[in-house]
């Protein structure tokens, strides 16, 4: 059984100044703890919508609010619940595969996601009770 760390924040470098703007960067295996195999982004999500509501068997992710605000709630199989408020484009949230997670967005939010694997529907655990069963069995 592979052991993953719990969710945690990653601070990316913030290079620049207010008068010229900023750039943040990461390079393979420097701050993101896996090889990035997929990148996607979400935007124009209504504030009343809660997205996510799933966990993964294998995929690790880093979530970044490149614009706006995203509130992410994670739950591990041991019952540990954490809430993270992402609103700085140089801060990302590491989400391990064993974390049930939900996201709620400000209307202007743009979320960038770096994932350790290409999309595979079989990797998703979309039913909360199945998440509890799968990950409790592996503790």
């Amino acid at each position: 059984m592979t052991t993953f760390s719990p969710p945690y924040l990653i601070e990316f470098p913030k290079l620049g100044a207010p008068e010229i703007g900023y750039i943040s960067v990461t390079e393979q295996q420097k701050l993101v703890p896996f090889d990035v195999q997929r990148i996607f982004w979400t935007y124009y999500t209504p504030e009343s919508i809660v997205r996510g509501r799933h966990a993964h068997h294998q995929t690790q992710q880093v979530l970044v609010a490149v614009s706006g605000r995203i509130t992410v709630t994670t739950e591990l199989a041991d019952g540990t619940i954490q809430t993270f408020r992402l609103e700085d484009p140089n801060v990302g949230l590491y989400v391990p595969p064993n974390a049930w997670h939900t996201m709620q967005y400000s209307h202007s939010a743009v979320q960038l996601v770096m994932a350790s694997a290409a999309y595979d529907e079989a990797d998703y655990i979309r039913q909360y009770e199945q998440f509890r069963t799968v990950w409790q069995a592996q503790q």
Side-chain angles (χ1 to χ4, degrees):
M1 177 171 93
T2 304
T3 305
F4 296 97
S5 70
Y8 64 90
L9 294 174
I10 298 170
E11 188 167 346
F12 296 102
K14 183 177 180 181
L15 309 170
E19 61 276 5
I20 62 168
Y22 296 94
I23 182 173
S24 291
V25 65
T26 187
E27 294 172 343
Q28 203 62 281
Q29 294 292 329
K30 296 275 174 106
L31 296 171
V32 174
F34 52 81
D35 289 335
V36 176
Q37 300 298 313
R38 180 175 182 233
I39 297 172
F40 62 95
W41 50 97
T42 61
Y43 48 93
Y44 298 150
T45 304
E47 290 190 30
S48 60
I49 299 298
V50 177
R51 296 192 60 157
R53 299 182 196 205
H54 65 267
H56 293 279
H57 291 284
Q58 297 294 324
T59 301
Q60 303 170 71
Q61 298 179 320
V62 172
L63 316 178
V64 179
V66 294
S67 178
R69 179 192 69 256
I70 304 169
T71 302
V72 183
T73 301
T74 62
E75 180 179 348
L76 300 179
D78 67 5
T80 302
I81 296 174
Q82 293 178 280
T83 300
F84 301 89
R85 184 177 171 119
L86 302 176
E87 55 191 344
D88 293 315
N90 67 308
V91 176
L93 173 63
Y94 170 74
V95 179
N98 60 339
W100 184 264
H101 55 286
T102 62
M103 293 88 63
Q104 194 156 17
Y105 305 81
S106 66
H107 176 70
S108 63
V110 176
Q111 174 183 250
L112 175 74
V113 180
M114 294 173 269
S116 65
Y119 176 81
D120 178 3
E121 181 59 32
D123 185 54
Y124 283 72
I125 304 170
R126 296 194 184 272
Q127 301 300 317
Y128 180 76
E129 289 307 317
Q130 181 187 7
F131 155 73
R132 299 291 299 161
T133 301
V134 167
W135 288 104
Q136 283 178 346
Q138 294 186 25
Q139 287 187 1

